[in-house]
Amino acid sequence: MQHTGKTDISHDILLSAYRRMKTIRTFENRLHEDFKAGIVPGFTHLYAGQESVAVGICSHLTDQDQIASTHRGHGHCIAKGVDVMAMMKEIHGRQGGICKGKGGSMHIADLSKGMLGANGILGAGAPLACGAALADRLEGKGHVAVVFGGDGGVNEGAVLESMNLASVWKLPLMFVVENNGYAQSTPQHRTTSVSSYEDRARGFGMPAVTVDGLDFFAVYRAAGELIARMRAGGGPVLLECRTVRFYGHFEGDTQRYRPAGDVKNAWEERDCLRRFAQTSGLSPAELEAVDRDVEQLVNASVQEALKAPHPALNELHDGVYVSY
Amino acid sequence: MTRHVSLKSAINEALDQEMARDPKLLIFGQDTAGGVDAGGETDTWGGVLGVTRGLYTRYGDRVIDAPPTEMAYVGAAVGAALSGFPVVAEVPFIDFMGVCFDQLLNQAAKMRYMFGGTAEIPLVVRTMVGAGINGAAQHSQMLTAMFTHIPGLKVVCPSTPHDAKGLMIEAIRDRGPVIFCEPKYLYETTGPVAEAPYAIPFGQAHLAREGHDVSIVTYGPMVPRALEAATQLAETGIEADVIDLRTLSPLDIATVLKSVQKTGRLVAADEAHPRCNMATDIVAQVTRQCFTSLKAAPQMVSAPHTPVPFSPVLEKAYIPGAEQIMAAVTRIMA
Ligand SMILES: Cc1ncc(C[n+]2csc(CCOP(=O)(O)OP(=O)(O)O)c2C)c(N)n1
Ligand SMILES: [Mg+2]
């Protein structure tokens, strides 16, 4: 499939897509700095570089469509419309966090937005998404589910079993493979037996498409067609997006395993946001206005997060069916 | 020669020396070498916290990076061990054990028995346990007791660099499957470790401190907390035995009983959730076996029955520390 260049996408959708992509980038860049400064607890996996994937796909989804995410979940959250202020508070473990400070970066979730959670367990989102998609099918309102996975994590048995289940049960479920070339420090060809995940889909009887994940328009168009097919009862599909990871696997990873110049090249030559800006047809003034807004939003989110109180100690026991 | 090294380096040294001794020994894990064939430098990771770094450089293809597919590679480790190649397989966090549990619970643990005693499974599964690094609910658990429940598995959890090295060497030389639980919170703590290889037999608890008023029985990350409590208690005139169990299965209950017969008071501590953990097990065994020696009801110190919270403030409240142990001792002395 050819999916490049400008399209017939409406101005509103373009602007909103840019806003979400830029929000992700700014959010992640800020976390990178703040993590280095030692003010962010725990470990965080940043989504920077992959923005066009989450946003290109989630632009087609409503709050009733559900997504299951991964350890690298901030981008999926923002693309799905989760509140940025509450996300930042969550990542700082504070009151007002989207999960009340209980989950943190790796478990960020917002069921009201159809965001079933980032996940600390590779592959674990796929079976959950099968259940969400089954609920969609049974309700018959044309809602769909999407599960994101990385090039390494989609080799987990849970994902492969889910691909089979989704096909056998004809579920409206899209498997998205975000192929950024690495699972931690391990290159794609050392975790996966095939170079194209389309081959995997074929084995499970599912249609599949591969796109340049750095090209928002390619992702948007392909996802649109696949999601429309699912809404019409066509069963599960797979979308592989070839993309790039800008930062280390997690904050603190020196990335010395990547070829010399690879990271610099990614920032300079493989930046999905710059590509979008150059090809979207949005005016420089429009883009700059979004940039300013987003910068302010992210700054404010950090200020608010650092001001927010820590959870009260009695909250330790809340939210588990039986506790003592 | 004895040097001061970290608990993490002590494990690395044990693996190194055993890899050198046994040319059939294999290491499996995710990014255990790290960066192999990735286009840049090789051997940059050594697992997620760097425990195995350097081994790939020394032992090449006997250090095998697996895809993140625990069911397959842990199961493959069971099969390779059964077929004459001892394996040390790493499941980075014990929280991930759910993914490969069947291969341990129903396969590795049961084969020797089911096959009439003929099978040998020289397998070590290395895995990190415990809270304290803001890892949140799926990277912080203390699930040791789940494994002690299963016949056919041995379960180890060291608290010092010296013990980590000696127990790892013993685990590798053992002919059955061993779940080797590494308290990640203690990885950087240092202590004296002899350079030459040595093995510490399983089923021998270590009397980490000697007293006569109360027996504090624990293991792993709780040991330094118990020692800290004991030091503070000594200032108030209370002298505690601190027993580091070191291996949870087999369990050296004799050392515990001997101590309780001397002190008459037991405080059992485990960082795990409070039900069916090592503390409840120790209390049950002591109560059954030396009831008449007890001067007061045994006390238990555990984490609450909740998942591990992310918020650093809540996590701190979650983890049982020296304070809770001191409070338990105060209760039992009253
Ligand atoms: C069951 C399980 N195994 C291992 C891990 C450790 N782990 C976290 S992320 C990761 C690599 C994932 O790579 P990929 O799926 O390509 O996603 P990316 O990080 O590139 O987004 C690994 C091995 C985990 N979280 N869960
Ligand atoms: Mg990847």
Side-chain angles (χ1 to χ4, degrees):
Chain A
M1 274 196 229
Q2 268 299 83
H3 292 296
T4 45
K6 269 200 268 180
T7 66
D8 49 352
I9 304 171
S10 79
H11 185 258
D12 279 359
I13 289 180
L14 287 177
L15 253 188
S16 139
Y18 182 68
R19 180 177 296 274
R20 287 188 184 191
M21 289 197 286
K22 187 72 184 192
T23 305
I24 298 171
R25 177 68 55 87
T26 310
F27 191 88
E28 299 295 60
N29 285 348
R30 179 62 190 260
L31 276 175
H32 177 73
E33 292 308 321
D34 288 351
F35 195 91
K36 257 198 311 204
I39 61 171
V40 184
F43 19 116
T44 34
H45 307 83
L46 301 181
Y47 194 75
Q50 305 181 195
E51 293 86 349
S52 42
V53 175
V55 175
I57 292 162
C58 292
S59 294
H60 298 286
L61 303 179
T62 69
D63 289 354
Q64 282 69 48
D65 298 315
Q66 293 179 299
I67 66 168
S69 170
T70 66
H71 57 288
R72 201 175 297 290
H74 305 167
H76 305 135
C77 280
I78 293 173
K80 201 70 173 54
V82 178
D83 179 50
V84 169
M85 303 290 268
M87 281 180 65
M88 192 61 92
K89 284 189 187 139
E90 186 60 35
I91 292 166
H92 283 268
R94 303 296 177 115
Q95 275 187 30
I98 194 82
C99 306
K100 301 183 176 166
K102 292 275 190 60
S105 166
M106 246 188 308
H107 307 296
I108 201 157
D110 184 352
L111 300 181
S112 72
K113 295 283 182 192
M115 164 58 188
L116 299 180
N119 213 309
I121 305 297
L122 286 177
L128 303 176
C130 283
L134 177 66
D136 292 333
R137 204 197 72 195
L138 294 174
E139 279 174 348
K141 294 183 185 152
H143 302 315
V144 300
V146 174
V147 56
F148 291 91
D151 46 285
V154 297
N155 293 294
E156 289 281 6
V159 178
L160 302 176
E161 288 189 27
S162 296
M163 287 181 178
N164 183 61
L165 190 72
S167 279
V168 170
W169 285 1
K170 294 225 169 356
L171 301 176
L173 173 57
M174 179 157 79
F175 293 86
V176 177
V177 182
E178 297 192 66
N179 181 353
N180 61 12
Y182 292 93
Q184 299 189 149
S185 68
T186 303
Q188 191 269 347
H189 69 275
R190 304 267 302 196
T191 63
T192 310
S193 57
V194 289
S195 59
S196 163
Y197 294 86
E198 283 186 36
D199 292 345
R200 288 280 166 82
R202 215 165 283 132
F204 290 106
M206 245 191 289
V209 176
T210 303
V211 293
D212 176 359
L214 304 179
D215 179 351
F216 169 82
F217 299 99
V219 177
Y220 182 86
R221 289 282 292 279
E225 286 169 24
L226 293 171
I227 289 168
R229 182 194 151 95
M230 292 199 294
R231 292 201 198 280
V237 296
L238 181 147
L239 177 62
E240 174 181 348
C241 301
R242 302 252 159 110
T243 181
V244 68
R245 199 184 75 202
F246 272 15
Y247 290 113
H249 170 66
F250 48 41
E251 287 309 275
D253 173 14
T254 58
Q255 304 204 75
R256 286 185 289 120
Y257 48 86
R258 283 172 83 161
D262 187 43
V263 175
K264 185 163 179 281
N265 172 269
W267 282 90
E268 289 173 1
E269 309 291 336
R270 307 183 66 207
D271 180 350
C272 64
L273 264 167
R274 195 172 316 139
R275 280 197 204 177
F276 180 90
Q278 284 162 357
T279 55
S280 67
L282 294 174
S283 73
E286 285 174 312
L287 296 173
E288 278 162 30
V290 171
D291 292 353
R292 270 196 307 276
D293 273 9
V294 164
E295 190 72 35
Q296 272 177 13
L297 173 67
V298 171
N299 281 341
S301 76
V302 176
Q303 274 167 16
E304 291 289 310
L306 293 176
K307 266 197 305 204
H310 291 284
L313 291 188
N314 60 11
E315 289 179 45
L316 178 58
H317 288 269
D318 294 347
V320 52
Y321 298 98
V322 177
S323 90
Y324 29 85
Chain B
M1 199 181 68
T2 295
R3 309 105 332 130
H4 269 255
V5 305
S6 69
L7 192 145
K8 188 160 126 177
S9 315
I11 294 170
N12 181 287
E13 188 167 278
L15 294 169
D16 188 1
Q17 291 175 347
E18 288 301 287
M19 287 292 277
R21 179 188 62 79
D22 182 355
K24 288 185 98 174
L25 180 63
L26 305 174
I27 294 179
F28 295 179
Q30 298 168 48
D31 310 78
T32 310
V36 176
D37 217 4
E41 287 176 45
T42 288
D43 207 353
T44 58
W45 265 52
V48 71
L49 294 183
V51 177
T52 53
R53 193 177 301 145
L55 297 176
Y56 178 79
T57 305
R58 257 161 279 156
Y59 303 102
D61 290 344
R62 287 167 56 210
V63 179
I64 306 177
D65 275 354
T69 53
E70 294 78 5
M71 183 168 28
Y73 78 78
V74 171
V78 179
L82 186 66
S83 310
F85 282 81
V87 185
V88 178
E90 177 182 299
V91 173
F93 293 81
I94 201 167
D95 316 65
F96 305 169
M97 284 287 194
V99 178
C100 55
F101 203 31
D102 176 67
Q103 294 295 323
L104 299 172
L105 160 70
N106 285 316
Q107 312 306 325
K110 298 192 170 43
M111 279 175 172
R112 185 172 178 80
Y113 186 82
M114 292 190 303
F115 300 170
T118 54
E120 289 208 321
I121 303 158
L123 168 71
V124 182
V125 180
R126 294 183 42 237
T127 190
M128 292 189 283
V129 295
I133 65 165
N134 308 137
Q138 296 171 348
H139 287 70
S140 305
Q141 297 172 79
M142 194 72 199
L143 300 175
T144 38
M146 279 180 44
F147 292 90
T148 61
H149 189 70
I150 301 167
L153 297 180
K154 297 180 185 176
V155 184
V156 178
C157 188
S159 75
T160 66
H162 167 81
D163 289 354
K165 177 172 174 180
L167 291 168
M168 176 57 82
I169 289 178
E170 178 75 6
I172 292 170
R173 296 178 185 176
D174 195 279
R175 303 308 294 168
V178 178
I179 310 297
F180 196 93
C181 302
E182 302 177 5
K184 55 185 177 286
Y185 189 73
L186 301 180
Y187 265 163
E188 303 300 338
T189 58
T190 59
V193 174
E195 195 170 346
Y198 59 92
I200 297 175
F202 289 168
Q204 293 189 2
H206 171 62
L207 188 59
R209 185 187 188 283
E210 228 181 316
H212 42 76
D213 296 315
V214 56
S215 308
I216 305 175
V217 180
T218 190
Y219 68 95
M222 290 301 288
V223 172
R225 297 166 199 159
L227 288 170
E228 188 193 323
T231 305
Q232 294 197 38
L233 287 164
E235 284 168 22
T236 69
I238 299 170
E239 294 293 340
D241 261 5
V242 174
I243 295 174
D244 179 352
L245 295 169
R246 302 200 292 193
T247 68
L248 311 181
S249 187
L251 182 72
D252 178 8
I253 198 67
T255 295
V256 175
L257 294 174
K258 202 170 133 206
S259 170
V260 174
Q261 276 154 3
K262 174 178 68 176
T263 64
R265 297 182 184 91
L266 169 67
V267 172
D270 189 349
E271 195 191 287
H273 307 300
R275 297 287 307 280
C276 307
N277 65 20
M278 289 313 299
T280 62
D281 189 42
I282 296 291
V283 168
Q285 297 205 41
V286 166
T287 312
R288 190 163 54 85
Q289 295 187 54
C290 62
F291 186 71
T292 51
S293 306
L294 291 172
K295 297 177 188 154
Q299 296 288 318
M300 290 188 284
V301 176
S302 314
H305 194 65
T306 75
V308 184
F310 168 67
S311 144
V313 169
L314 293 185
E315 189 188 22
K316 191 160 174 287
Y318 171 93
I319 299 170
E323 235 173 89
Q324 281 88 339
I325 295 172
M326 284 167 59
V329 171
T330 308
R331 281 197 302 275
I332 209 173
M333 298 299 295

